[in-house]
PDB file of all heavy atoms in Angstrom:
ATOM      1  N   LEU A 307     113.282  53.469 102.803  1.00 77.00           N
ATOM      2  CA  LEU A 307     112.796  54.514 103.697  1.00 77.00           C
ATOM      3  C   LEU A 307     111.474  54.095 104.398  1.00 77.00           C
ATOM      4  O   LEU A 307     111.341  54.266 105.614  1.00 77.00           O
ATOM      5  CB  LEU A 307     112.597  55.817 102.901  1.00 77.00           C
ATOM      6  CG  LEU A 307     111.876  56.909 103.724  1.00 77.00           C
ATOM      7  CD1 LEU A 307     112.865  57.590 104.651  1.00 77.00           C
ATOM      8  CD2 LEU A 307     111.215  57.937 102.796  1.00 77.00           C
ATOM      9  N   PHE A 308     110.533  53.621 103.624  1.00 76.00           N
ATOM     10  CA  PHE A 308     109.297  53.200 104.192  1.00 76.00           C
ATOM     11  C   PHE A 308     109.471  52.145 105.306  1.00 76.00           C
ATOM     12  O   PHE A 308     108.853  52.211 106.339  1.00 76.00           O
ATOM     13  CB  PHE A 308     108.310  52.650 103.117  1.00 76.00           C
ATOM     14  CG  PHE A 308     107.823  53.712 102.187  1.00 76.00           C
ATOM     15  CD1 PHE A 308     107.520  53.384 100.844  1.00 76.00           C
ATOM     16  CD2 PHE A 308     107.574  54.991 102.612  1.00 76.00           C
ATOM     17  CE1 PHE A 308     107.031  54.345  99.997  1.00 76.00           C
ATOM     18  CE2 PHE A 308     107.093  55.956 101.763  1.00 76.00           C
ATOM     19  CZ  PHE A 308     106.812  55.652 100.441  1.00 76.00           C
ATOM     20  N   LEU A 309     110.281  51.189 105.023  1.00 73.00           N
ATOM     21  CA  LEU A 309     110.477  50.095 105.998  1.00 73.00           C
ATOM     22  C   LEU A 309     111.091  50.660 107.309  1.00 73.00           C
ATOM     23  O   LEU A 309     110.584  50.386 108.381  1.00 73.00           O
ATOM     24  CB  LEU A 309     111.452  49.075 105.407  1.00 73.00           C
ATOM     25  CG  LEU A 309     111.801  47.866 106.328  1.00 73.00           C
ATOM     26  CD1 LEU A 309     110.569  47.001 106.561  1.00 73.00           C
ATOM     27  CD2 LEU A 309     112.931  47.051 105.749  1.00 73.00           C
ATOM     28  N   PHE A 310     112.161  51.459 107.169  1.00 79.00           N
ATOM     29  CA  PHE A 310     112.826  51.939 108.394  1.00 79.00           C
ATOM     30  C   PHE A 310     111.952  52.922 109.151  1.00 79.00           C
ATOM     31  O   PHE A 310     111.866  52.875 110.393  1.00 79.00           O
ATOM     32  CB  PHE A 310     114.131  52.676 107.985  1.00 79.00           C
ATOM     33  CG  PHE A 310     115.142  51.760 107.338  1.00 79.00           C
ATOM     34  CD1 PHE A 310     115.949  52.267 106.287  1.00 79.00           C
ATOM     35  CD2 PHE A 310     115.255  50.467 107.725  1.00 79.00           C
ATOM     36  CE1 PHE A 310     116.844  51.398 105.675  1.00 79.00           C
ATOM     37  CE2 PHE A 310     116.180  49.609 107.144  1.00 79.00           C
ATOM     38  CZ  PHE A 310     116.992  50.135 106.082  1.00 79.00           C
ATOM     39  N   MET A 311     111.226  53.824 108.443  1.00 83.00           N
ATOM     40  CA  MET A 311     110.424  54.808 109.157  1.00 83.00           C
ATOM     41  C   MET A 311     109.249  54.189 109.853  1.00 83.00           C
ATOM     42  O   MET A 311     108.849  54.605 110.914  1.00 83.00           O
ATOM     43  CB  MET A 311     109.948  55.879 108.168  1.00 83.00           C
ATOM     44  CG  MET A 311     111.066  56.781 107.628  1.00 83.00           C
ATOM     45  SD  MET A 311     112.139  57.439 108.929  1.00 83.00           S
ATOM     46  CE  MET A 311     110.939  58.330 109.900  1.00 83.00           C
ATOM     47  N   THR A 312     108.679  53.114 109.279  1.00 78.00           N
ATOM     48  CA  THR A 312     107.591  52.427 109.959  1.00 78.00           C
ATOM     49  C   THR A 312     108.066  51.851 111.288  1.00 78.00           C
ATOM     50  O   THR A 312     107.393  52.064 112.355  1.00 78.00           O
ATOM     51  CB  THR A 312     107.075  51.285 109.066  1.00 78.00           C
ATOM     52  OG1 THR A 312     106.592  51.819 107.841  1.00 78.00           O
ATOM     53  CG2 THR A 312     105.930  50.522 109.755  1.00 78.00           C
ATOM     54  N   TYR A 313     109.175  51.160 111.304  1.00 79.00           N
ATOM     55  CA  TYR A 313     109.662  50.533 112.532  1.00 79.00           C
ATOM     56  C   TYR A 313     110.192  51.627 113.443  1.00 79.00           C
ATOM     57  O   TYR A 313     110.033  51.528 114.698  1.00 79.00           O
ATOM     58  CB  TYR A 313     110.728  49.492 112.234  1.00 79.00           C
ATOM     59  CG  TYR A 313     110.102  48.169 111.840  1.00 79.00           C
ATOM     60  CD1 TYR A 313     109.965  47.843 110.481  1.00 79.00           C
ATOM     61  CD2 TYR A 313     109.676  47.286 112.752  1.00 79.00           C
ATOM     62  CE1 TYR A 313     109.417  46.642 110.073  1.00 79.00           C
ATOM     63  CE2 TYR A 313     109.123  46.047 112.405  1.00 79.00           C
ATOM     64  CZ  TYR A 313     108.972  45.764 111.056  1.00 79.00           C
ATOM     65  OH  TYR A 313     108.417  44.567 110.645  1.00 79.00           O
ATOM     66  N   TYR A 314     110.843  52.692 112.963  1.00 87.00           N
ATOM     67  CA  TYR A 314     111.373  53.736 113.776  1.00 87.00           C
ATOM     68  C   TYR A 314     110.193  54.439 114.496  1.00 87.00           C
ATOM     69  O   TYR A 314     110.276  54.673 115.746  1.00 87.00           O
ATOM     70  CB  TYR A 314     112.095  54.784 112.912  1.00 87.00           C
ATOM     71  CG  TYR A 314     112.546  55.969 113.690  1.00 87.00           C
ATOM     72  CD1 TYR A 314     113.674  55.929 114.562  1.00 87.00           C
ATOM     73  CD2 TYR A 314     111.872  57.202 113.552  1.00 87.00           C
ATOM     74  CE1 TYR A 314     114.083  57.033 115.274  1.00 87.00           C
ATOM     75  CE2 TYR A 314     112.287  58.317 114.211  1.00 87.00           C
ATOM     76  CZ  TYR A 314     113.391  58.214 115.111  1.00 87.00           C
ATOM     77  OH  TYR A 314     113.790  59.368 115.778  1.00 87.00           O
ATOM     78  N   LEU A 315     109.153  54.782 113.830  1.00 88.00           N
ATOM     79  CA  LEU A 315     108.007  55.474 114.458  1.00 88.00           C
ATOM     80  C   LEU A 315     107.254  54.616 115.438  1.00 88.00           C
ATOM     81  O   LEU A 315     106.893  55.078 116.521  1.00 88.00           O
ATOM     82  CB  LEU A 315     107.058  55.981 113.349  1.00 88.00           C
ATOM     83  CG  LEU A 315     107.610  57.066 112.427  1.00 88.00           C
ATOM     84  CD1 LEU A 315     106.629  57.385 111.289  1.00 88.00           C
ATOM     85  CD2 LEU A 315     107.902  58.358 113.229  1.00 88.00           C
ATOM     86  N   GLN A 316     107.125  53.332 115.136  1.00 80.00           N
ATOM     87  CA  GLN A 316     106.364  52.438 116.046  1.00 80.00           C
ATOM     88  C   GLN A 316     107.198  51.914 117.199  1.00 80.00           C
ATOM     89  O   GLN A 316     106.762  51.889 118.341  1.00 80.00           O
ATOM     90  CB  GLN A 316     105.745  51.279 115.238  1.00 80.00           C
ATOM     91  CG  GLN A 316     104.610  51.687 114.363  1.00 80.00           C
ATOM     92  CD  GLN A 316     103.737  50.541 113.963  1.00 80.00           C
ATOM     93  OE1 GLN A 316     103.153  49.786 114.765  1.00 80.00           O
ATOM     94  NE2 GLN A 316     103.623  50.304 112.654  1.00 80.00           N
ATOM     95  N   GLU A 317     108.426  51.476 116.916  1.00 80.00           N
ATOM     96  CA  GLU A 317     109.256  50.840 117.963  1.00 80.00           C
ATOM     97  C   GLU A 317     110.093  51.764 118.771  1.00 80.00           C
ATOM     98  O   GLU A 317     110.358  51.566 119.966  1.00 80.00           O
ATOM     99  CB  GLU A 317     110.121  49.750 117.301  1.00 80.00           C
ATOM    100  CG  GLU A 317     109.355  48.618 116.686  1.00 80.00           C
ATOM    101  CD  GLU A 317     110.210  47.458 116.262  1.00 80.00           C
ATOM    102  OE1 GLU A 317     111.472  47.565 116.401  1.00 80.00           O
ATOM    103  OE2 GLU A 317     109.677  46.472 115.760  1.00 80.00           O
ATOM    104  N   ILE A 318     110.567  52.865 118.109  1.00 88.00           N
ATOM    105  CA  ILE A 318     111.463  53.810 118.829  1.00 88.00           C
ATOM    106  C   ILE A 318     110.665  54.953 119.391  1.00 88.00           C
ATOM    107  O   ILE A 318     110.804  55.305 120.591  1.00 88.00           O
ATOM    108  CB  ILE A 318     112.562  54.300 117.858  1.00 88.00           C
ATOM    109  CG1 ILE A 318     113.322  53.151 117.261  1.00 88.00           C
ATOM    110  CG2 ILE A 318     113.494  55.295 118.630  1.00 88.00           C
ATOM    111  CD1 ILE A 318     114.032  52.251 118.302  1.00 88.00           C
ATOM    112  N   LEU A 319     109.800  55.610 118.619  1.00 89.00           N
ATOM    113  CA  LEU A 319     109.035  56.726 119.096  1.00 89.00           C
ATOM    114  C   LEU A 319     107.656  56.330 119.664  1.00 89.00           C
ATOM    115  O   LEU A 319     106.935  57.161 120.159  1.00 89.00           O
ATOM    116  CB  LEU A 319     108.803  57.788 117.954  1.00 89.00           C
ATOM    117  CG  LEU A 319     110.059  58.408 117.382  1.00 89.00           C
ATOM    118  CD1 LEU A 319     109.750  59.513 116.417  1.00 89.00           C
ATOM    119  CD2 LEU A 319     111.034  58.909 118.451  1.00 89.00           C
ATOM    120  N   ARG A 320     107.328  55.031 119.596  1.00 87.00           N
ATOM    121  CA  ARG A 320     106.133  54.473 120.226  1.00 87.00           C
ATOM    122  C   ARG A 320     104.844  55.052 119.627  1.00 87.00           C
ATOM    123  O   ARG A 320     103.866  55.259 120.341  1.00 87.00           O
ATOM    124  CB  ARG A 320     106.146  54.707 121.733  1.00 87.00           C
ATOM    125  CG  ARG A 320     107.414  54.243 122.456  1.00 87.00           C
ATOM    126  CD  ARG A 320     107.647  52.768 122.273  1.00 87.00           C
ATOM    127  NE  ARG A 320     108.770  52.309 123.064  1.00 87.00           N
ATOM    128  CZ  ARG A 320     109.343  51.103 123.017  1.00 87.00           C
ATOM    129  NH1 ARG A 320     108.825  50.211 122.161  1.00 87.00           N
ATOM    130  NH2 ARG A 320     110.338  50.760 123.772  1.00 87.00           N
ATOM    131  N   TYR A 321     104.804  55.269 118.335  1.00 87.00           N
ATOM    132  CA  TYR A 321     103.591  55.735 117.696  1.00 87.00           C
ATOM    133  C   TYR A 321     102.607  54.556 117.533  1.00 87.00           C
ATOM    134  O   TYR A 321     103.031  53.421 117.386  1.00 87.00           O
ATOM    135  CB  TYR A 321     103.892  56.316 116.312  1.00 87.00           C
ATOM    136  CG  TYR A 321     104.442  57.692 116.258  1.00 87.00           C
ATOM    137  CD1 TYR A 321     105.075  58.273 117.372  1.00 87.00           C
ATOM    138  CD2 TYR A 321     104.368  58.468 115.102  1.00 87.00           C
ATOM    139  CE1 TYR A 321     105.582  59.560 117.310  1.00 87.00           C
ATOM    140  CE2 TYR A 321     104.854  59.760 115.054  1.00 87.00           C
ATOM    141  CZ  TYR A 321     105.471  60.267 116.151  1.00 87.00           C
ATOM    142  OH  TYR A 321     105.953  61.570 116.108  1.00 87.00           O
ATOM    143  N   SER A 322     101.352  54.864 117.540  1.00 85.00           N
ATOM    144  CA  SER A 322     100.330  53.863 117.223  1.00 85.00           C
ATOM    145  C   SER A 322     100.292  53.566 115.731  1.00 85.00           C
ATOM    146  O   SER A 322     100.856  54.382 114.964  1.00 85.00           O
ATOM    147  CB  SER A 322      98.917  54.324 117.673  1.00 85.00           C
ATOM    148  OG  SER A 322      98.511  55.409 116.845  1.00 85.00           O
ATOM    149  N   PRO A 323      99.659  52.474 115.273  1.00 81.00           N
ATOM    150  CA  PRO A 323      99.586  52.304 113.840  1.00 81.00           C
ATOM    151  C   PRO A 323      98.982  53.433 113.096  1.00 81.00           C
ATOM    152  O   PRO A 323      99.445  53.855 111.987  1.00 81.00           O
ATOM    153  CB  PRO A 323      98.760  50.988 113.726  1.00 81.00           C
ATOM    154  CG  PRO A 323      98.971  50.285 115.019  1.00 81.00           C
ATOM    155  CD  PRO A 323      99.140  51.338 116.056  1.00 81.00           C
ATOM    156  N   LEU A 324      97.862  53.991 113.631  1.00 84.00           N
ATOM    157  CA  LEU A 324      97.197  55.145 112.946  1.00 84.00           C
ATOM    158  C   LEU A 324      98.131  56.344 112.902  1.00 84.00           C
ATOM    159  O   LEU A 324      98.242  56.982 111.833  1.00 84.00           O
ATOM    160  CB  LEU A 324      95.911  55.448 113.621  1.00 84.00           C
ATOM    161  CG  LEU A 324      95.169  56.660 113.068  1.00 84.00           C
ATOM    162  CD1 LEU A 324      94.839  56.507 111.588  1.00 84.00           C
ATOM    163  CD2 LEU A 324      93.894  56.943 113.888  1.00 84.00           C
TER     164      LEU A 324
END
Side-chain angles (χ1 to χ4, degrees):
L307 170 79
F308 288 149
L309 179 70
F310 298 143
M311 292 311 301
T312 298
Y313 280 95
Y314 174 75
L315 293 172
Q316 289 198 59
E317 295 188 359
I318 305 300
L319 299 187
R320 308 299 186 189
Y321 281 21
S322 68
L324 176 58

